[in-house]
Amino acid sequence: MQVAISISEGRLSSATLMRRLRSNSRKNCIYKVFREVGRSVRTVALLRYLADPALRARVTAATNKVESYNGFFQWLGFGNNGVIAHNDPDEQEKLIKMNTLLANLVIFHNALDLWTWSARWWPRAGPSPLMSSGRSRRTCAHIRRFGAYATDEIAQESAAFNPELTEIDFTAVGLAA
């Protein structure tokens, strides 16, 4: 309580407190107190988890959902089996972001497919088995990880790029240059 009051009154800066806690000194009283408070909070959380079956079910469901996404994310990553071979943090971040974007696009596409399918199916046959089971029966079987590319269109000339954008009236929105 003294630490919280000292920080709120401005007598102790949070940077100073963090510097004292980072030292990991066993002699530091603040470190010992926070370590014991953390242990008691963890113990209370574990006791609640053990005593409440509904909480355990929620935690298990959330964990399974995250693990399922991580498995899908790993399956979707191709090229070197998803192993990031670069030591450059920028390259690592770029690869992870691109794989996340790809995973989100596949999930969005699946959601659109399910929505289209259920919109056609729902009015005729009563409750949807997809909606009642709580999960889709289709997971990754319909996804072509490496794509299907038509090579007969490679020889066709594409239309020339027009940077002028004459078909758009920018004066209407006040963006005229």
Side-chain angles (χ1 to χ4, degrees):
M1 290 302 289
Q2 288 177 341
V3 172
I5 292 170
S6 297
I7 290 174
S8 65
E9 290 179 355
R11 290 185 293 171
L12 176 67
S13 72
S14 56
T16 304
L17 176 64
M18 294 306 295
R19 198 169 34 251
R20 286 185 186 170
L21 291 175
R22 267 196 312 250
S23 68
N24 289 338
S25 172
R26 306 252 183 237
K27 297 177 184 176
N28 188 343
C29 295
I30 296 174
Y31 174 79
K32 288 180 182 179
V33 168
F34 278 133
R35 186 182 63 200
E36 293 305 317
V37 168
R39 287 178 178 170
S40 64
V41 168
R42 184 178 63 200
T43 302
V44 168
L46 285 173
L47 289 173
R48 282 186 185 153
Y49 178 81
L50 292 172
D52 189 2
L55 177 62
R56 285 196 307 269
R58 279 199 325 263
V59 169
T60 302
T63 304
N64 289 342
K65 190 172 285 193
V66 169
E67 289 300 321
S68 174
Y69 176 78
N70 288 339
F72 172 69
F73 185 83
Q74 190 173 20
W75 175 82
L76 198 58
F78 57 89
N80 206 15
N81 288 329
V83 175
I84 300 174
H86 300 283
N87 287 333
D88 183 17
D90 292 333
E91 287 297 316
Q92 292 173 351
E93 184 179 5
K94 184 170 45 171
L95 287 171
I96 291 170
K97 284 184 177 181
M98 292 301 172
N99 201 24
T100 302
L101 177 64
L102 182 61
N104 288 339
L105 288 171
V106 169
I107 290 168
F108 180 69
H109 189 274
N110 283 346
L112 285 177
D113 285 350
L114 287 172
W115 179 75
T116 304
W117 178 83
S118 66
R120 276 188 253 142
W121 191 86
W122 185 275
R124 291 191 292 266
S128 165
L130 282 176
M131 303 305 167
S132 61
S133 68
R135 65 179 188 176
S136 171
R137 294 186 184 145
R138 302 182 335 156
T139 54
C140 301
H142 65 289
I143 300 170
R144 295 183 184 167
R145 286 176 54 201
F146 303 110
Y149 301 101
T151 57
D152 57 338
E153 296 178 6
I154 293 176
Q156 294 180 1
E157 267 313 301
S158 61
F161 177 68
N162 181 6
E164 296 295 321
L165 298 174
T166 55
E167 66 274 3
I168 300 173
D169 182 20
F170 289 106
T171 58
V173 291
L175 297 175

